Amino acid sequence: MVVLRSLIALVGLGGVSVQAIGTALGYGSATTGGGSAAAATPTSNAQLISWLSDSTARTIVLTSTFDFTTYYGTTSGKICKPWTCSPNPQVAIDSNRWCENYQPFAATGTASWYVAGTGYSYMLKVGSNKTLLGKGSSAGLKGIGLLLQNSNNVIIQNLVISDINAKYVWGGDASKLCLTIVGSTNIDHNYIKNIGRQFIVTGYNPAKSVTISNNIFDGSATYSAVCNGKHYWVALFTGNADTITFAQNYIYQTSGRGPHVGGTSGYTQYVHIVNNYFVNVGGHALDSQTGAVVLAEGNYFNTVTTPSVAGSAGKEYFIQSSSDVSTCTSSLGRACQANTLTSSGSVSHLNTAVLTSLKTQSAVTGYRPMTASAAATYVQANAGVGKVN
Ligand SMILES: *[C@@H]1O[C@H](CO)[C@@H](O)[C@H](O)[C@H]1NC(C)=O
């Protein structure tokens, strides 16, 4: 089907019009970002920091790469080597004694890395009512990620986000939706590559009304956790009461957490994983752990070793047979779509409690998924940068 977009901003920028899409798919559909605020392009990294973090509604347009790689300098510290494979295993910064506490390794050796990638204090803070748009097919951020903390109503669209201490676990996340996202976020049509840690992560407080759509998660990596040239740390949704639509994304050359949902007792994440195209995943894609309520439909898995981890503790309904389709369709009251698995491992997750939970969620019942094969075609043609703006 054709995805309808209503244009909420059509503004002049040096004689070139810049469009922000208005209607996110699913949970984030109320997002308007900076709304009608006039588009403006920052002229320095410092101005970008200021515009993103202040409390003014803004439409911020990037027309080039804002490179923060060396902006906060370098630092050095202890590292450990959790993986002994070759070639090129990632190494881990000993952040919060991670090496000692979570890996059976003491920190061995030291290394240096760029400060800008690491942690809350340096990430680009994004306030409420912001639209951050890239123009063309190469504008974006290098060496630094975005932090949405107590933010509401944010659109991040058409950006390349890349090169954040890619050799190092704990080298940095590309986008962190953390603490409290009060509601309405749309992360759309971006291209993310060469990140040390997560491409996207929600933290532990609620990430509500979030849509992550039409992005390319390019896991091709020189350094990887299992030395297969594929990035492991893709997406991690762990909040208390997350509601997330993960739709029409193009995920390739990854090996894990694609996405990982849940893991904390007492927390719940409603995640609709729909119409994504996964290809050449040398490891796992979905992993639904404690608290996860995941509906996977209309996705296309092409050469994915493990489309969804077996025996995990979360609730997942992963549609395959016509009988699964009709169970879902009668529960949600609209047509559900089967996933397609080609040259991929098998899946058996049919927890109907997912349907019971989601049939009261209008972001899910109101969604009109494409078939998996239509999604495969659509996503390869439309995901990533340079398709809008
Ligand atoms: C965001 O915009 C809404 C609607 O105009 C307004 O109520 C709210 O206060 C704004 N938030 C911030 C932090 O400015």
Side-chain angles (χ1 to χ4, degrees):
M1 65 170 271
V2 173
V3 179
L4 296 175
R5 308 258 187 227
S6 67
L7 302 178
I8 54 153
L10 179 61
V11 294
L13 181 83
V16 183
S17 45
V18 177
Q19 302 172 341
I21 64 161
T23 306
L25 298 161
Y27 281 112
S29 65
T31 312
T32 56
S36 58
T41 296
T43 55
S44 66
N45 288 5
Q47 192 168 44
L48 177 61
I49 292 169
S50 162
W51 286 1
L52 279 175
S53 60
D54 69 16
S55 55
T56 304
R58 292 184 187 276
T59 301
I60 303 168
V61 178
L62 306 186
T63 56
S64 60
T65 302
F66 281 66
D67 189 348
F68 284 82
T69 307
T70 59
Y71 192 73
Y72 296 109
T74 59
T75 189
S76 59
K78 290 198 289 182
I79 55 160
C80 64
K81 298 177 179 171
W83 302 285
T84 55
C85 55
S86 72
N88 303 326
Q90 274 194 304
V91 298
I93 294 170
D94 193 18
S95 179
N96 298 315
R97 292 183 61 79
W98 188 76
C99 295
E100 290 81 358
N101 293 339
Y102 297 102
Q103 301 292 325
F105 300 102
T108 52
T110 59
S112 65
W113 53 85
Y114 298 112
V115 174
T118 57
Y120 297 123
S121 352
Y122 301 101
M123 295 179 83
L124 287 171
K125 285 158 199 71
V126 183
S128 295
N129 303 327
K130 305 284 185 185
T131 299
L132 177 62
L133 296 178
K135 176 123 185 59
S137 54
S138 61
L141 302 170
K142 193 172 176 189
I144 201 162
L146 295 160
L147 176 65
L148 280 67
Q149 179 173 332
N150 286 308
S151 300
N152 180 31
N153 197 21
V154 173
I155 298 172
I156 309 285
Q157 188 181 61
N158 200 43
L159 299 180
V160 176
I161 305 176
S162 73
D163 301 291
I164 304 177
N165 289 320
K167 183 175 179 179
Y168 301 101
V169 176
W170 303 112
D173 302 310
S175 45
K176 192 164 203 155
L177 315 178
C178 85
L179 302 179
T180 306
I181 293 188
V182 189
S184 292
T185 304
N186 184 18
I187 299 186
D188 180 75
H189 276 105
N190 303 289
Y191 175 94
I192 307 180
K193 187 183 180 185
N194 282 339
I195 308 298
R197 193 60 169 172
Q198 299 297 149
F199 286 0
I200 188 159
V201 55
T202 62
Y204 292 104
N205 288 313
K208 287 193 173 161
S209 305
V210 174
T211 297
I212 300 164
S213 55
N214 303 301
N215 301 289
I216 292 180
F217 297 103
D218 179 352
S220 319
T222 300
Y223 295 94
S224 64
V226 288
C227 301
N228 60 356
K230 297 176 163 71
H231 190 64
Y232 183 88
W233 325 97
V234 180
L236 179 62
F237 304 143
T238 50
N240 177 7
D242 289 356
T243 53
I244 298 172
T245 299
F246 189 82
Q248 299 178 183
N249 299 293
Y250 189 1
I251 299 120
Y252 53 85
Q253 300 289 348
T254 62
S255 72
R257 291 189 174 175
H260 174 127
V261 184
T264 304
S265 175
Y267 286 14
T268 304
Q269 303 83 24
Y270 289 168
V271 183
H272 188 198
I273 299 178
V274 54
N275 288 155
N276 300 285
Y277 183 62
F278 298 82
V279 60
N280 293 328
V281 175
H284 66 268
L286 282 54
D287 185 3
S288 301
Q289 293 292 339
T290 299
V293 178
V294 171
L295 173 62
E297 62 170 331
N299 301 288
Y300 198 110
F301 296 86
N302 179 1
T303 320
V304 175
T305 311
T306 305
S308 182
V309 173
S312 47
K315 300 186 179 77
E316 184 176 308
Y317 197 85
F318 188 107
I319 303 177
Q320 291 177 83
S321 71
S322 56
S323 147
D324 308 341
V325 171
S326 56
T327 301
C328 175
T329 296
S330 63
S331 183
L332 299 188
R334 54 86 168 156
C336 296
Q337 298 292 346
N339 298 292
T340 293
L341 281 63
T342 300
S343 304
S344 295
S346 62
V347 178
S348 121
H349 287 299
L350 287 172
N351 190 328
T352 53
V354 170
L355 303 175
T356 307
S357 293
L358 296 184
K359 71 183 180 188
T360 59
Q361 300 278 309
S362 60
V364 178
T365 60
Y367 200 102
R368 297 291 175 264
M370 294 179 253
T371 64
S373 65
T377 303
Y378 181 86
V379 166
Q380 290 176 82
N382 290 287
V385 291
K387 313 297 179 182
V388 292
N389 291 331

